[in-house]
Amino acid sequence: MKSGYVGLVGRPNVGKSTLMNALIGQKIAITSDRPQTTRNRIETVYTDERGQVIFVDTPGIHKAKNKLGEYMDKEAEKAFGDCDIVVWLVEPTTYIGQGEVLIAQLIGALKGKKPVVLCINKTDTLKNKADIEASMAAYRQKAQFDEIVCVSATEGTNLDEMLDVIYKYLPEGPMYYDEETVTQMPLRTISEELIREQALRLIKDEIPHGIAVMINSFKERRSGLYDIDADIICERDSHKGIIIGKGGSMLKKIGMNARAEIEDQLGAQVNLKLFVKVRKNWRDSESFCRSFGYELKK
């Protein structure tokens, strides 16, 4: 059988998490229309009769502006060395910006070392086949690939072809996980991410980029109900007021939506309590980043 690690890399907001969720048929990675939603490497497992694929969803590669950004870029760039196959996810365009050029250079360094697949996502936004071909030609000028696959993660288009190409280049290997495993992420971590997802979706402007979530208590009662207490961390007192909302309305909405998502993951009822705390400029503090799970390794 075949097995191995497949790294999904690319610029922020190109749909890496959406694609991974679609490929495994289950929501594990959080998604939003905001860039830099994914902050950590997230591993999920897809198993069928051909073998086992461990997908590694990475943060979007971008120009880091703080310690958190440095951490995210390092997490993404690890995939180039750690994975058996690299899938570079891009949007369908003929304009190749500096961010994509940087990734193309990283891709170029892999030549002859491991397979690279260019995945053009969001093809549902294009009007005709000629636009897709023009986009493929533009990327071919920047880097060489073993295969190019065009998909729409939101529409579920060409996902089978994507898996076929992955298995084509995946090496022979053992089953790393049992057939029922979808992710090794702890339920506590998944719950933190689901709370942050709702904050990302509901709160406008730049505030979501300065939000972290930390669960303080995660307990299961004998009845099967989960009691979860969590802090939403922000950077300014003014942000705290916006997150809480008038009469607590925004915090209540975040909590209601997050609770429904967590209950779906746990398959059980959840009693969720949220609190908002201010940690000024935490994204540029190594100690705060470390305490919230974003550790910058030297």
Side-chain angles (χ1 to χ4, degrees), residues 40 52 54 56-57 62 73 80 106 111 113 116 155 157 170 186 196 206 211 219 242 279 283 293 297:
N40 289 298
Q52 190 169 80
I54 299 95
V56 181
D57 181 23
H62 65 295
D73 274 352
F80 288 91
L106 296 172
K111 186 177 179 180
K113 297 179 181 178
V116 176
E155 299 291 329
T157 305
L170 209 61
R196 188 167 67 87
E206 288 297 310
I211 284 178
K219 297 178 180 178
I242 294 171
R279 298 290 183 268
R283 286 181 294 172
K297 295 180 175 62

Side-chain angles (χ1 to χ4, degrees), residues 237-252:
D237 292 323
S238 59
H239 292 175
K240 179 178 179 179
I242 294 171
I243 296 169
I244 294 173
K246 187 176 181 180
S249 58
M250 179 57 74
L251 189 61
K252 182 178 180 181

Side-chain angles (χ1 to χ4, degrees), residues 1 32 51 84 94 101 108 119-120 124 131 156 177 198 200 215 217 236 239 242 255 257 264 273 275 290:
M1 65 180 302
S32 80
D84 298 291
T94 56
V101 170
C119 178
I120 301 179
D124 54 297
D131 291 336
Y177 302 100
Q198 293 308 316
L200 283 169
I215 288 180
S217 178
R236 300 178 184 175
H239 292 175
I242 294 171
N257 291 0
D264 186 57
K273 294 181 180 179
F275 307 89
R290 191 180 305 114

